[in-house]
Amino acid sequence: MNLHRKGRAALVLALVAVVAMAFRVSWNALRDIAGAVGADDTAAMLYPFVVDGLMALALIATLVLADRDRAFALRVLGAYTIASLVLNYVHGLVPELHGRTVDWGRLAEWDPANWALVLLATSLPVGSIYFGSDLVAKVLHHRPAPIPTASANAEESTETDMKRSTADLSVSTPAPIIPNTVTLPRPVAVGFLKSTLPAKPSPSIAPAPVAPIERRAMAAESTRPRRATGRVPEAAKPTRPKRTPDQLLAEAREATADWPDVKVTGEGIRRAIHTSPANARSLRDTILAERAAMAVEVA
């Protein structure tokens, strides 16, 4: 296990060393390209970090992310690798870039090629900001999948079953008892000593006929509750006698004697004297009409 970890550590260190050396080799080319497209000395010194630094960031994101995010990091790494290769190639083809004697903004003799190279060199910093921020956000929001522990659980369950199946006896199991085997004489066939008479034939019994099952139409059962029929028992009938309209009016006058006109409503009368809504509305109209007539007489 230690050898395996040491091998991984050595591989990572070797990768870091190769990347550092490649970054140093590409430093001059990217710095001269930045100066040729208008960057000052400080910007030209930082320009290699923009290109090769994002490549290192995309490589780390590729090792951390998975599925679609890993594919996106690989595409960013490939695109910036190709861009760095093109700029290094142009630096090798144009000797004037080495001494910075080339005209400002002139990377190639052919105008379309020069425009494309200038666009590539000037767009890499903006792309580094966009793609670098996106990769960092993906890495920070990445949640690694949990490692299943099926093997450990299987081992625990096997040990548990073995412990449960073991007998908890303090003494050893007694040896099995072997019964004494007695050899019996071999039976002898008696068919040649006695003659066997043929058995009397038994009369055959005819099966009783089975009547076929008739199909009858049956009414479908209804799930609705049946309505009660018949006379209502005396115990279920209300014991309160039915009141006449005059009795209802007298009770309503008595109940609403101290009520203001606003409170005299059908619902209030219905609750006060326990009558139907229709009777309550009729009593309300009557009481209000009586109060209006009394008010006119007083006036």
Side-chain angles (χ1 to χ4, degrees), residues 56-238:
L57 177 62
L59 178 60
I60 297 174
T62 303
L63 299 176
V64 175
L65 300 176
D67 300 334
R68 296 178 60 184
D69 295 338
R70 175 180 293 176
F72 173 76
L74 285 173
R75 286 194 294 268
V76 173
L77 177 60
Y80 268 73
T81 302
I82 294 173
S84 179
L85 175 62
V86 171
L87 296 180
N88 279 271
Y89 178 71
V90 172
H91 184 266
L93 288 179
V94 183
E96 291 81 2
L97 290 172
H98 303 174
R100 297 190 180 184
T101 59
V102 69
D103 295 337
W104 180 80
R106 198 70 187 176
L107 298 178
E109 296 294 336
W110 189 40
D111 289 340
N114 180 65
W115 298 337
L117 291 174
V118 172
L119 177 63
L120 176 64
T122 54
S123 62
L124 288 178
V126 180
S128 297
I129 297 174
Y130 174 76
F131 294 117
S133 302
D134 195 8
L135 289 175
V136 171
K138 290 180 183 298
V139 170
L140 294 179
H141 290 84
H142 176 66
R143 295 292 182 271
I147 301 175
T149 57
S151 59
N153 294 337
E155 293 177 359
E156 292 179 0
S157 61
T158 305
E159 293 178 359
T160 304
D161 294 339
M162 292 177 61
K163 291 179 180 179
R164 289 181 178 177
S165 61
T166 306
D168 298 333
L169 299 177
S170 59
V171 297
S172 61
T173 306
I177 300 174
I178 301 175
N180 296 329
T181 56
V182 180
T183 304
L184 299 177
R186 187 176 181 181
V188 181
V190 296
F192 63 94
L193 296 179
K194 294 183 179 180
S195 61
T196 56
L197 298 177
K200 186 180 294 185
S202 57
S204 59
I205 301 174
V210 179
I213 300 175
E214 298 180 359
R215 296 183 178 180
R216 299 179 180 178
M218 299 181 64
E221 296 183 359
S222 176
T223 57
R224 295 183 303 174
R226 296 183 61 183
R227 186 177 299 176
T229 58
R231 296 181 59 185
V232 179
E234 297 295 335
K237 292 182 179 180

Side-chain angles (χ1 to χ4, degrees), residues 257-268:
D258 54 348
W259 289 9
D261 294 345
V262 179
K263 192 176 178 181
V264 179
T265 59
E267 182 66 18

